[in-house]
Amino acid sequence: MESAQIYKHFQERTDRILEAIRGLVDIESPSHDAAASRETTGLIESKFRELDPEIKIERLTVKDGEHLIIKAFVGNEKPALLLGHTDTVHPVGSSQINPTRIDGDLFYGCGIFDMKANIAVALEALRYFVVTEQRPARPVTILLSCDEEVGSHTGREIVEREAAGAAYCLVLEPSADGKVKTGRKGTGMYTLCSRGRPAHAGLEPDKGANAIVELARQIPAIQALGDRDLGTTINVTTISGGTTSNVIPEFAECEIDVRFRSNAEAERIDAELHSLNANDERVTLELKGGINRPPMERTPDVLALFEKARELAAGFGYNLEETQVGGASDGNFVAALGVPLIDGLGVRGSGAHMMTEHIDVTDIASRATLITLLLKNL
């Protein structure tokens, strides 16, 4: 069977794929590190140009790095969009704690699971078509953003632009215990600021208006806005304030993390947060931030795409399962446009954002085969 032959091809290429993964992971590229971002995109560009000089590559420079757009097998049909990112959450130097290494079937490294290994897999999928002198069913666009981990403030516009013209999207984010993701919660990121009046804490405390106390009164009301039955969570995650130990604090602020499954819940939470009023009339409240990513809902089109992927996976004996998760990705922006997608197509692994981050080497050939079959058949 063709699928078995494709799988054999990637098994034989595994050592070369591991080499490519190592090269990417060894460049530590945390969000906001423009130099590291450019180094990473430079390496990726060189790999794709070696593969096929006719591939069209665009590097979009922004303050914090470079977004990379790769277009292959250009034609008149709507393209397949492969979506990923080059930034990681680990600060430079983290590789001293989690060095790039293979231990048995596990390949460790900072950013390897989320999601540099999957960039190498995308490269290999295109390589298959080049070396076998075949074409995928439609043109292929690969978009790798540089700020996904910090909210896609510059990447969102590019993601939406490329997705708007795509037939479907394969998101190369990490899998969830090997399962692809057919649903993700949307996210909101807020900061609530409290401003009161300073005063000497010992001599004239009553002349002050305590910004920290006011914020502390607001927190239980904020937490109570969640609705677990609807999948809505809201959590105060950081808090800071005050100037020194003997002064009634004039200022305090807290960050609020919001997750939701529907746009209706997003609108409800946003309205509730904007309606918060201070208990102490001498204190003013200011809400900053807002909804960052819409939900990725499990629509009939998404389910149909997953069923096709599961059928293709079964063709070479690979069991593909789905799940829905609370974390968001750039795939949320794609889903909001009504474009069918599968998220979490990355190599099986664990430890995202942790110092135990790793992938399972034995899963590389399977994921590469699945992505290749999707590009070949859809």
Side-chain angles (χ1 to χ4, degrees):
M1 293 178 64
E2 182 184 42
S3 58
Q5 293 174 343
I6 295 174
Y7 177 71
K8 181 180 178 182
H9 166 86
F10 288 117
Q11 278 190 312
E12 294 172 350
R13 289 279 307 172
T14 297
D15 286 346
R16 299 297 296 273
I17 300 173
L18 293 175
E19 181 182 340
I21 293 172
R22 183 182 293 274
L24 288 169
V25 175
D26 279 345
I27 303 174
E28 295 182 277
S29 56
S31 308
H32 304 307
D33 190 326
S37 175
R38 290 192 296 269
E39 184 180 359
T40 303
T41 54
L43 175 61
I44 296 169
E45 178 182 12
S46 68
K47 294 293 184 182
F48 277 95
R49 291 208 183 279
E50 289 172 6
L51 175 62
D52 182 358
E54 299 300 317
I55 287 178
K56 297 181 179 180
I57 299 177
E58 185 178 9
R59 294 167 69 169
L60 303 177
T61 301
V62 294
K63 178 182 178 182
D64 292 330
E66 288 183 333
H67 305 296
L68 188 64
I69 302 174
I70 300 162
K71 297 192 175 184
F73 305 103
V74 176
N76 296 323
E77 304 92 345
K78 284 188 173 183
L81 175 63
L82 273 62
L83 185 60
H85 61 89
T86 57
D87 61 323
T88 73
V89 302
H90 306 289
V92 172
S94 298
S95 60
Q96 296 180 28
I97 303 172
N98 185 25
T100 311
R101 68 200 187 279
I102 296 177
D103 185 357
D105 290 333
L106 303 183
F107 193 172
Y108 290 84
C110 294
I112 193 169
F113 180 51
D114 187 13
M115 48 144 292
K116 288 186 172 180
N118 309 324
I119 298 173
V121 170
L123 170 66
E124 285 299 316
L126 262 61
R127 185 188 302 280
Y128 172 83
F129 290 105
V130 172
V131 300
T132 60
E133 299 182 341
Q134 300 180 55
R135 288 183 66 88
R138 56 182 66 249
V140 177
T141 297
I142 300 174
L143 170 56
L144 304 173
S145 69
C146 68
D147 62 357
E148 190 273 346
E149 294 289 5
V150 289
S152 302
H153 299 294
T154 64
R156 176 175 183 171
E157 179 182 359
I158 302 166
V159 170
E160 291 177 336
R161 184 189 72 199
E162 294 300 325
Y168 65 89
C169 179
L170 307 179
V171 186
L172 303 174
E173 287 283 348
S175 61
D177 294 326
K179 298 176 182 178
V180 297
K181 300 165 184 177
T182 54
R184 285 183 179 270
K185 291 183 181 181
T187 60
M189 300 189 303
Y190 295 86
T191 301
L192 182 63
C193 304
S194 170
R195 189 170 295 279
R197 297 177 186 172
H200 194 294
L203 297 177
E204 300 176 308
D206 292 338
K207 290 186 177 181
N210 196 313
I212 289 179
V213 169
E214 179 59 47
L215 203 59
R217 289 173 177 163
Q218 296 291 332
I219 289 174
I222 293 170
Q223 295 282 147
L225 294 175
D227 188 328
R228 294 280 180 172
D229 292 338
L230 294 178
T232 304
T233 61
I234 181 165
N235 290 287
V236 173
T237 54
T238 70
I239 187 168
S240 61
T243 53
T244 189
S245 61
N246 63 347
V247 175
I248 300 298
E250 177 185 15
F251 180 79
E253 67 177 22
C254 66
E255 291 181 302
I256 306 166
D257 179 280
V258 181
R259 309 282 169 147
F260 46 87
R261 289 191 181 134
S262 70
N263 286 315
E265 276 296 276
E267 293 170 2
R268 178 182 72 83
I269 292 296
D270 188 74
E272 293 278 10
L273 289 175
H274 277 95
S275 68
L276 293 173
N277 293 307
N279 295 278
D280 186 335
E281 61 183 15
R282 300 171 300 166
V283 177
T284 59
L285 297 178
E286 179 185 7
L287 185 69
K288 300 178 181 179
I291 301 302
N292 174 249
R293 286 185 172 94
M296 181 186 128
E297 299 188 49
R298 187 177 180 271
T299 65
D301 285 343
V302 169
L303 182 57
L305 188 57
F306 165 72
E307 291 295 345
K308 182 62 177 178
R310 181 161 62 178
E311 177 184 335
L312 291 170
F316 64 99
Y318 190 53
N319 181 39
L320 189 68
E321 297 180 293
E322 62 164 322
T323 189
Q324 300 181 61
V325 298
S329 79
D330 281 348
N332 291 54
F333 300 134
V334 178
L337 298 175
V339 178
L341 78 165
I342 302 176
D343 204 332
L345 276 165
V347 178
R348 180 187 290 113
S350 186
H353 298 190
M354 299 170 63
M355 288 296 106
T356 56
E357 187 170 356
H358 63 270
I359 60 168
D360 184 343
V361 172
T362 66
D363 194 49
I364 291 175
S366 296
R367 291 288 168 162
T369 301
L370 176 59
I371 291 171
T372 301
L373 287 171
L374 287 165
L375 294 176
K376 188 176 178 63
N377 289 277
L378 298 180

